[in-house]
Amino acid sequence: MTERHKSAISHHPWLHRFAVSTAGATILLIVAGALVTSNQAGLAVPDWPLSYGTWMPPMVGGIFYEHGHRMIGASVGLLTIILALWLWRAERRSWLRCLGFIGVAVVVLQGVLGGITVLYLLPWPVSVGHASLAQLFFCLMVSLALFTSKGWQEETPPLTEVGVPSLPRLSIATALAVFVQLVLGATVRHQVLGIVPHLLGAALVVVVVAWTVRRVLLHHNQKALRQPVKALAILTALQLALGMGSYLARLATADAPQPQPLMVALTVAHVAAGALLLATSVVLALQTHRLFDQRSAIESRLFPATQRVHP
Amino acid sequence: MNLRNIAAFASLFLLLLVIGCGSAEQPAEETAATEAAPAAEPIDPATAATISGKVSFEGTAPRRRRIRMDAEVACAQMHSGPVYSENFVLNDNGTLRNAFVYVKSGLEGRSFPTPPDAVVLDQKGCMYTPHVVGAMVGQTVRVLNSDQTTHNVHPVPKNNREWNRSQAPGANAIEATFARDEIMIPVKCNVHPWMKSYIGVLKHPYFAVTGEDGTFEIGNLPPGDYTLGVWHESLGSSEMQISVAAQESKTVDFVLEKAG
Ligand code: HEM
Ligand code: HEM
Ligand SMILES: [Cu+2]
């Protein structure tokens, strides 16, 4: 490792662990939010920001889910603020310091969307927006955990590019396809569109994911790419099974007098695995770009601009 | 690269904002469509007719669905045995409970005074009593909480203003009115997701809900031609044409079949 490179590293192990914990708390929050929707408890607490006029209503029935979700949401908000302040103090990369505060802005916006959806009795654009922004916020927290990791700043063998479209493009297409699929999923869940667009989306996701996975496994041996790609394959298969399960469980319990435990478990797992899938695809895209950029960084070190040959 | 990352995130958020904030629907206004109603033409009791009958069921009855309220002691302790969903209640004589029978058309051009007394919807053992109830436009609906637990009262109308209010144990009754006629307005509790009831709102007082014997009676009806409608939570609706002469007591029976 060169002297110059060592000094460029800005790594704080505890800050990184804190970022990882915040991302972990966020996936729990997504589970808690999905429990609200699956248990039809979104309006169990009619008021906001207070709940039944207090900070601590009786935690019975649907109130348990709705108010519990609000409390976990507030805690994650707090963690996000601490993380942003910590980054601000300790982190040298200024774009990363900014990203911490973008996280705060998003979590506040998300909380307000949650409040609005309660006050306006779950208008679907707000509910779908709340569901989708939750996924993006989780990706942001996972990215912060990734950016603060030591591995992110270490030099790795540069990416040798093979094939068209390029891996950076392919990985971005994967993340976008998964995100669109999540939004379509939210429109199924909040009864806006039927299942058909979501099924077409699933087919698209399968194609793009398979393409990306194949490309990486056949042509790249960096751990930073192979690991997310394996997770991507497993999560996609899992998600197809959970989606099928959710669909069947909804059908089978359509005339049940109340949400049935199996339906709740499957749909909540489908939402949570969706969040993990999106985050994995974002990690892959970020890693791809890092390795790709490192190649250009090394190239420019080996061949300073004055000597570089432009074809 | 880092700028590129941030730009990518920013554009995703923007995309989402467009999706999320695009068209937040405003709740409908509660302004009643108070058309200049023709003067109330008094019903002459000397010519008034009566329609009565029963609503029976044909087909194989669906299995009754058990409600699980074990998780909430305050609800469960109010019941001695198992509790079943009231979406389909077959009486012993083969008739249906909780069918809403009403004059669907034939009364246009008449107006009727709003009854001064309230229709009561009670919450008892985390069930609505009655399960189906009728009210007139503008008539007070009093929602009571007889339970030792908190409910939220959440009507989900299509043609009236939607609202959602909480009601703690011992809290005052919630009084509400509905400005437009609507068949039927579901009322839900999101604390106890099995809790559901229906309010039928009409511009006239000619409606009835079938009870334990599956019969209904609609009296004091001016002679004329009417469409008589029936609505049932699980079996849907149906209607028939009838004419009643002065002072006639007409018997009309509905038979509802299991759809599909
Ligand atoms: C701050 C971070 C928050 C995150 C990450 C978050 C996340 C989520 C998620 C993932 C869902 C499930 C969506 C679905 O299954 O389709 C959800 C639902 C919900 N959240 Fe949040 N939430 C947050 C804060 C809040 C707050 C502060 C409120 C305040 C009222 C709130 C109210 C709701 C409601 C009412 C639902 C149910 C929506 C429905 O059924 O349509 N959320 N949330
Ligand atoms: C890789 C593919 C898939 C992904 C990433 C995915 C993702 C999602 C997500 C995230 C949601 C919930 C969104 C929210 O409200 O927050 C959802 C809902 C849903 N998805 Fe999928 N899904 C996939 C494939 C499928 C498949 C193959 C089916 C099969 C029929 C399916 C059926 C459903 C159903 C029925 C819902 C609504 C669940 C409910 O009503 O609670 N999904 N999907
Ligand atoms: Cu209740």
Side-chain angles (χ1 to χ4, degrees):
Chain A
M1 209 182 273
T2 64
E3 201 53 43
R4 182 179 160 275
H5 185 234
K6 208 181 276 169
S7 64
I9 278 195
S10 144
H11 181 61
H12 306 275
W14 281 105
L15 173 57
H16 171 60
R17 278 173 211 140
F18 188 76
V20 171
S21 315
T22 307
T26 306
I27 190 74
L28 292 184
L29 174 57
I30 287 182
V31 169
L35 279 169
V36 174
T37 306
S38 288
N39 283 294
Q40 296 167 20
L43 292 175
V45 181
D47 50 339
W48 182 80
L50 289 178
S51 295
Y52 285 86
T54 79
W55 294 107
M56 202 53 228
M59 295 293 271
V60 295
I63 304 176
F64 169 79
Y65 295 111
E66 171 61 16
H67 189 68
H69 173 57
R70 293 182 187 190
M71 289 198 304
I72 300 174
S75 314
V76 167
L78 199 64
L79 292 178
T80 311
I81 293 173
I82 296 174
L83 181 59
L85 293 175
W86 195 339
L87 281 169
W88 189 254
R89 295 221 33 192
E91 180 53 54
R92 232 184 284 150
R93 290 165 285 178
S94 63
W95 59 271
L96 187 47
R97 300 209 306 246
C98 280
L99 217 49
F101 282 101
I102 292 179
V104 174
V106 174
V107 83
V108 168
L109 181 62
Q110 173 71 353
V112 171
L113 277 185
I116 291 177
T117 207
V118 165
L119 295 181
Y120 286 89
L121 308 170
L122 311 186
W124 71 261
V126 182
S127 282
V128 170
H130 187 71
S132 313
L133 191 58
Q135 304 270 356
L136 290 183
F137 176 69
F138 177 58
C139 289
L140 189 51
M141 291 300 113
V142 169
S143 311
L144 290 183
L146 178 66
F147 296 148
T148 51
S149 70
K150 199 162 170 209
W152 181 257
Q153 298 179 75
E154 273 169 359
E155 231 166 80
T156 39
L159 191 75
T160 39
E161 188 47 50
V162 267
V164 179
S166 69
L167 187 58
R169 289 217 177 123
L170 206 49
S171 64
I172 285 190
T174 309
L176 276 179
V178 174
F179 180 67
V180 169
Q181 174 66 348
L182 299 174
V183 176
L184 289 177
T187 66
V188 181
R189 198 156 153 79
H190 297 277
Q191 285 143 39
V192 186
L193 304 176
I195 189 80
V196 175
H198 190 57
L199 285 179
L200 296 177
L204 180 69
V205 165
V206 167
V207 169
V208 187
V209 165
W211 196 346
T212 310
V213 170
R214 197 183 126 87
R215 173 73 68 80
V216 169
L217 291 185
L218 287 185
H219 300 292
H220 301 279
N221 51 18
Q222 289 93 336
K223 216 169 125 199
L225 298 182
R226 293 181 77 87
Q227 271 178 349
V229 128
K230 282 177 196 157
L232 209 56
I234 293 170
L235 283 170
T236 305
L238 178 68
Q239 192 63 342
L240 290 176
L242 287 173
M244 193 61 80
S246 299
Y247 182 73
L248 295 177
R250 282 279 185 198
L251 268 192
T253 65
D255 60 346
Q258 68 204 93
Q260 300 295 304
L262 181 64
M263 180 282 288
V264 172
L266 284 168
T267 52
V268 169
H270 191 54
V271 174
L276 292 176
L277 183 60
L278 180 65
T280 308
S281 69
V282 167
V283 166
L284 177 72
L286 292 173
Q287 291 284 24
T288 309
H289 280 76
R290 175 173 75 98
L291 298 185
F292 202 64
D293 285 2
Q294 241 172 40
R295 186 185 63 171
S296 16
I298 289 168
E299 268 171 7
S300 60
R301 218 181 300 151
L302 291 181
F303 314 102
T306 46
Q307 295 174 20
R308 221 184 296 173
V309 187
H310 292 278
Chain B
M1 166 208 105
N2 303 321
L3 269 182
R4 217 195 296 155
N5 281 344
I6 293 174
F9 271 115
S11 43
L12 279 185
F13 290 142
L14 272 183
L15 174 75
L16 195 99
L17 278 183
V18 173
I19 298 167
C21 309
S23 54
E25 286 155 65
Q26 296 297 112
E29 285 296 315
E30 173 78 291
T31 43
T34 38
E35 311 120 26
E41 187 188 320
I43 310 283
D44 179 4
T47 62
T50 301
I51 307 172
S52 58
K54 62 181 192 300
V55 181
S56 36
F57 174 71
E58 209 158 75
T60 26
R63 190 167 57 90
R64 292 200 73 182
R65 298 290 189 144
R66 175 116 184 241
I67 292 173
R68 302 277 168 189
M69 39 175 97
D70 335 289
E72 250 236 66
V73 185
C75 304
Q77 73 186 9
M78 302 276 287
H79 303 272
S80 46
V83 188
Y84 293 94
S85 165
E86 291 180 304
N87 69 337
F88 184 93
V89 184
L90 192 60
N91 295 317
D92 294 337
N93 61 358
T95 58
L96 290 161
R97 205 175 301 177
N98 296 324
F100 187 78
V101 183
Y102 63 105
V103 173
K104 194 169 174 181
S105 66
L107 288 163
E108 295 77 8
R110 281 178 179 272
S111 74
F112 300 89
T114 310
D117 41 334
V119 168
V120 173
L121 184 61
D122 195 4
Q123 299 166 100
K124 213 187 231 165
C126 303
M127 300 289 280
Y128 289 104
T129 352
H131 183 62
V132 173
V133 71
M136 269 184 71
V137 166
Q139 186 178 7
T140 304
V141 177
R142 278 174 69 91
V143 187
L144 308 178
N145 182 1
S146 305
D147 284 329
Q148 290 309 307
T149 186
T150 297
H151 298 289
N152 72 294
V153 183
H154 176 204
V156 197
K158 292 214 158 60
N159 197 24
N160 281 280
R161 191 178 61 87
E162 185 178 349
W163 49 268
N164 183 27
R165 266 186 260 164
S166 56
Q167 198 175 31
N172 289 339
I174 294 177
E175 301 206 330
T177 57
F178 296 96
R180 298 180 198 88
D181 53 336
E182 181 165 354
I183 304 289
M184 306 282 292
I185 302 177
V187 180
K188 291 202 284 199
C189 170
N190 304 89
V191 180
H192 311 106
W194 62 83
M195 287 178 70
K196 203 164 191 194
S197 69
Y198 293 85
I199 306 179
V201 181
L202 290 164
K203 288 181 181 155
H204 57 71
Y206 301 107
F207 52 79
V209 179
T210 59
E212 292 181 11
D213 57 0
T215 62
F216 64 90
E217 184 177 303
I218 295 173
N220 201 29
L221 189 66
D225 300 330
Y226 299 102
T227 307
L228 197 62
V230 60
W231 171 95
H232 184 274
E233 179 176 356
S234 314
L235 303 172
S237 357
S238 118
E239 59 183 52
M240 66 169 78
Q241 308 298 327
I242 52 161
S243 342
V244 285
Q247 284 188 313
E248 191 183 2
S249 284
K250 191 148 200 156
T251 307
V252 188
D253 292 334
F254 283 102
V255 179
L256 296 181
E257 287 167 26
K258 197 178 162 196

